[in-house]
Amino acid sequence: MTDGIVERSRPRDRILETARDMFHKHGIKGVGVDAITEAAGTNKMTLYRHFESKDELIVECLRANAAKAGAMWDAFDAEFPGDKLAQLHAWVRKAAAMLNADGRGCDMANAAAELTEPDHPARLVIKELKEAQRERLVTLCRDAGIGQAELLADTLSLLLEGARVSVQTVGSEGPSTQFVRMAEGLIASFRGAAAG
Amino acid sequence: MTDGIVERSRPRDRILETARDMFHKHGIKGVGVDAITEAAGTNKMTLYRHFESKDELIVECLRANAAKAGAMWDAFDAEFPGDKLAQLHAWVRKAAAMLNADGRGCDMANAAAELTEPDHPARLVIKELKEAQRERLVTLCRDAGIGQAELLADTLSLLLEGARVSVQTVGSEGPSTQFVRMAEGLIASFRGAAAG
DNA sequence: CTAGGGTGTTACCGGTCTGTAACTTCCAGA
DNA sequence: TCTGGAAGTTACAGACCGGTAACACCCTAG
């Protein structure tokens, strides 16, 4: 009974939240709409009144995930207003904390692995949301005064993405344990280099 | 008609090869055993005479993948016998080449994303095969005379793993384009540091 | 030539999947 | 109190899934 989340709220919200949780835990193709609606304390007809298909529900879940990630960034800015470097270090800490939180990787990456049809509606939003996240990290690095901001941001992105899949494949005791060390080393190294 | 591979060979081999190809392209849950056997030019009964279940077929495919990867390592050793550093650079080049080969990431990582049941037979072999690959890369780094061989190997692993999912999510024009640059920079940096 | 094992064929089982139809119930707002 | 829309219920369609049974075939080893 781990998939609860049946607090009283509007059915659409319950369905969205439950679907996010279950997609994350069991994968997209591993969860049927019946299971979602049951866990959300409602029924299939209500789901199809709010979402025209399972695919649209998937897309909506991905967007909701991105919104939550965006809120995380805003929290960094609120916690260290103006101090971009502190925000970057906060990003590293937060990323590492989420690594050990659960053994499931990034929902977008997992969705991309599952939804292989090249024209699946989810693929477009995955790409656009990932690009937005990259842009945000690049901007943070640049505003933190780092010279090769793009390269650092991309390296950190790949490291984190890799750490997530590593946790998923070999567990949290594998290479991902070194993520903070790698990331901090990189930031220090890039800070040491000449700024543009 | 992209899923062919119906050359005349023993049915078991055809099934295994076809399944590897189709799992890679369409994901595990995206391919049914009927589709595999049809593409392999045989039928479902023959499949179940050679594999006791789809899960066992999946495991066998993963092992075959690992064997192919192992052959790649042997090729490095044959091409640059004794020169471990050259083999490491060859590894980087090969990894980068495979990145742009197709937009699908690592089969093991994809399988781990799809097969969420914690006791799925595939999860065990994924972990053991990934750990073997890590061991091999660590050994190569160590034999190349790098001091912090484990840290370099783990960093390179995460970078590659991350690059693979990046290709899968935003395409080959994203952060993964910088993979070689990142990897070579890391190797140079680790070589510059003091050796144990 | 014959026997037997590997293979192919067809049909089927029970279950699950997404998605829909038709109808009832409930509840809030006028 | 009445009404209209949102939500719940039941049943179903049509497809696909993994897996099995029973039987016909073919080809090679003896």
Side-chain angles (χ1 to χ4, degrees):
Chain A
M1 216 57 75
T2 70
D3 302 320
I5 316 187
V6 197
E7 347 100 24
R8 281 299 116 181
S9 54
R10 283 144 79 205
R12 188 183 193 281
D13 298 336
R14 274 181 286 147
I15 290 171
L16 201 57
E17 201 63 19
T18 308
R20 281 209 319 131
D21 182 58
M22 295 181 74
F23 285 155
H24 175 75
K25 285 182 188 159
H26 312 297
I28 290 176
K29 299 204 177 171
V31 178
V33 293
D34 274 316
I36 293 170
T37 54
E38 187 186 347
T42 176
N43 55 67
K44 200 161 40 168
M45 271 315 301
T46 300
L47 187 153
Y48 281 103
R49 286 189 190 107
H50 289 286
F51 306 92
E52 74 169 11
S53 66
K54 185 186 181 184
D55 282 347
E56 195 193 277
L57 173 62
I58 293 167
V59 167
E60 228 53 48
C61 285
L62 292 173
R63 289 198 194 281
N65 283 336
K68 272 212 168 182
M72 212 180 58
W73 286 84
D74 295 339
F76 296 152
D77 197 66
E79 192 178 359
F80 305 100
D83 190 346
K84 298 296 182 179
L85 190 61
Q87 292 179 31
L88 185 56
H89 283 112
W91 179 87
V92 172
R93 281 195 306 274
K94 183 71 177 180
M98 287 173 55
L99 272 184
N100 295 51
D102 71 340
R104 294 284 295 163
C106 170
D107 288 323
M108 308 224 188
N110 289 344
E114 285 197 78
L115 310 173
T116 64
E117 311 101 68
D119 58 344
H120 193 288
R123 298 201 70 86
L124 195 66
V125 320
I126 289 170
K127 183 173 181 184
E128 102 190 7
L129 295 174
K130 277 281 180 195
E131 280 170 351
Q133 286 182 7
R134 173 186 185 263
E135 207 53 45
R136 195 143 186 180
L137 187 57
V138 168
T139 301
L140 183 56
C141 287
R142 187 167 11 238
D143 291 350
I146 282 147
Q148 294 185 290
E150 288 88 354
L151 186 57
L152 175 57
D154 285 347
T155 310
L156 291 175
S157 291
L158 295 196
L159 270 185
L160 176 56
E161 212 87 71
R164 282 169 142 165
V165 327
S166 177
V167 169
Q168 208 164 17
T169 52
V170 302
S172 50
E173 310 302 317
S176 66
T177 52
Q178 305 296 323
F179 170 74
V180 171
R181 193 172 165 192
M182 300 171 187
E184 293 295 348
L186 276 169
I187 294 173
S189 162
F190 273 72
R191 292 233 302 150
Chain B
M1 214 56 73
T2 73
D3 302 317
I5 317 187
V6 197
E7 347 102 24
R8 281 299 115 181
S9 55
R10 283 144 80 206
R12 188 182 194 279
D13 299 335
R14 275 181 285 147
I15 290 169
L16 200 57
E17 201 63 20
T18 308
R20 283 208 317 131
D21 183 58
M22 295 181 75
F23 286 156
H24 175 75
K25 286 182 187 158
H26 312 298
I28 291 176
K29 300 203 178 172
V31 177
V33 290
D34 274 316
I36 293 171
T37 55
E38 186 185 350
T42 177
N43 53 66
K44 202 161 40 169
M45 271 314 302
T46 300
L47 188 153
Y48 281 103
R49 285 190 190 108
H50 290 286
F51 306 93
E52 75 171 8
S53 66
K54 184 185 181 184
D55 282 347
E56 195 194 277
L57 174 62
I58 293 167
V59 166
E60 229 52 48
C61 286
L62 293 174
R63 289 199 195 280
N65 283 337
K68 273 212 168 184
M72 211 180 59
W73 286 84
D74 296 337
F76 296 152
D77 197 66
E79 192 178 2
F80 305 100
D83 190 346
K84 298 297 181 179
L85 191 59
Q87 293 179 29
L88 185 56
H89 284 112
W91 179 88
V92 172
R93 281 195 305 274
K94 183 71 176 178
M98 288 174 57
L99 272 183
N100 295 50
D102 73 341
R104 294 282 298 165
C106 170
D107 288 324
M108 309 225 188
N110 288 344
E114 284 196 79
L115 310 174
T116 64
E117 310 101 69
D119 58 344
H120 193 288
R123 299 201 68 84
L124 195 66
V125 321
I126 289 171
K127 183 174 181 184
E128 103 191 9
L129 294 175
K130 276 282 180 195
E131 280 169 351
Q133 286 183 6
R134 173 186 185 263
E135 206 54 45
R136 195 142 186 183
L137 187 57
V138 168
T139 301
L140 183 56
C141 288
R142 189 170 6 243
D143 291 350
I146 283 148
Q148 294 185 290
E150 289 87 354
L151 187 56
L152 176 58
D154 285 347
T155 310
L156 291 176
S157 292
L158 296 196
L159 271 185
L160 175 56
E161 211 88 72
R164 281 168 142 165
V165 329
S166 177
V167 169
Q168 209 165 17
T169 52
V170 303
S172 51
E173 308 301 316
S176 65
T177 53
Q178 305 296 322
F179 170 74
V180 172
R181 193 172 164 190
M182 299 171 187
E184 292 296 348
L186 276 168
I187 294 173
S189 162
F190 273 72
R191 292 235 301 151

